[in-house]
Amino acid sequence: MPKTLEDLFLLEVQDMLSAERQITKALPKMIENASDEELRTGFEEHLEQTNEQVNRLERVFEIFDRKPRAKKCVGMEGILEEGEEQMEKIHDPHLRDAAMIAAAQKVEHYEICAYGTLITWAEQLGQNEVANIFKETLAEEKQTDQRLTKLAKSHVNAEAIAS
């Protein structure tokens, strides 16, 4: 059990290391199942970004002179399982693309919440370098969320309606 804010902070960093690693395992299947070329490209780019986010989390452990150790993120596990289940059950490619965007946005919103908290805690702990690392990740997550919204609104949802 955490006894200090730093303990709680590091516990959340462990949780997010697990979450990001889970995402790196889920994205290849999403890439494979995306029928929309722009969506597939977005997932491919986000996989590269997520791998870099894992590296950043590992760097945070180094700053705290700790070994990078993940704590199973059951929240992300549930979100990803739900998305995978939909992907497997929806056979229409346009409808599946719309469902994958919704699932991916759930992931992004979870991450936005977690990184916002980590930034606040890092700042309060006087860890400005760490806060800046997480600000970079948070900006990427928000950008991905906006890109997914744009894709859904521009054509993916309309294609799902028409199919």
Side-chain angles (χ1 to χ4, degrees), residues 38-51:
E38 199 174 346
L39 180 59
R40 185 179 311 109
T41 300
F43 286 153
E44 289 168 347
E45 290 171 2
H46 197 59
L47 177 57
E48 289 176 30
Q49 217 172 42
T50 304
N51 283 320

Side-chain angles (χ1 to χ4, degrees), residues 96-112:
R96 187 174 50 241
D97 283 348
M100 285 194 299
I101 287 174
Q105 286 191 290
K106 288 178 185 179
V107 167
E108 295 310 314
H109 290 203
Y110 185 97
E111 292 175 303
I112 288 166

Side-chain angles (χ1 to χ4, degrees), residues 25-120:
K25 290 178 181 157
L27 276 166
K29 191 167 186 179
M30 295 174 78
I31 292 165
E32 182 183 315
N33 281 279
S35 68
D36 183 84
E37 187 61 40
E38 199 174 346
L39 180 59
R40 185 179 311 109
T41 300
F43 286 153
E44 289 168 347
E45 290 171 2
H46 197 59
L47 177 57
E48 289 176 30
Q49 217 172 42
T50 304
N51 283 320
E52 180 54 37
Q53 291 166 357
V54 168
N55 291 337
R56 285 187 206 127
L57 286 160
E58 291 172 348
R59 197 164 46 234
V60 168
F61 282 105
E62 290 172 15
I63 291 168
F64 279 85
D65 200 30
R66 303 280 175 99
K67 233 180 162 171
R69 202 172 58 100
K71 177 185 98 32
K72 186 176 184 178
C73 181
V74 294
M76 187 59 69
E77 181 181 50
I79 292 169
L80 292 172
E81 280 178 11
E82 184 179 281
E84 185 172 348
E85 185 178 305
Q86 281 190 330
M87 219 172 22
E88 290 172 357
K89 289 183 178 179
I90 298 172
H91 301 293
D92 179 271
H94 300 296
L95 189 58
R96 187 174 50 241
D97 283 348
M100 285 194 299
I101 287 174
Q105 286 191 290
K106 288 178 185 179
V107 167
E108 295 310 314
H109 290 203
Y110 185 97
E111 292 175 303
I112 288 166
C113 174
Y115 285 114
T117 298
L118 285 169
I119 290 165
T120 300

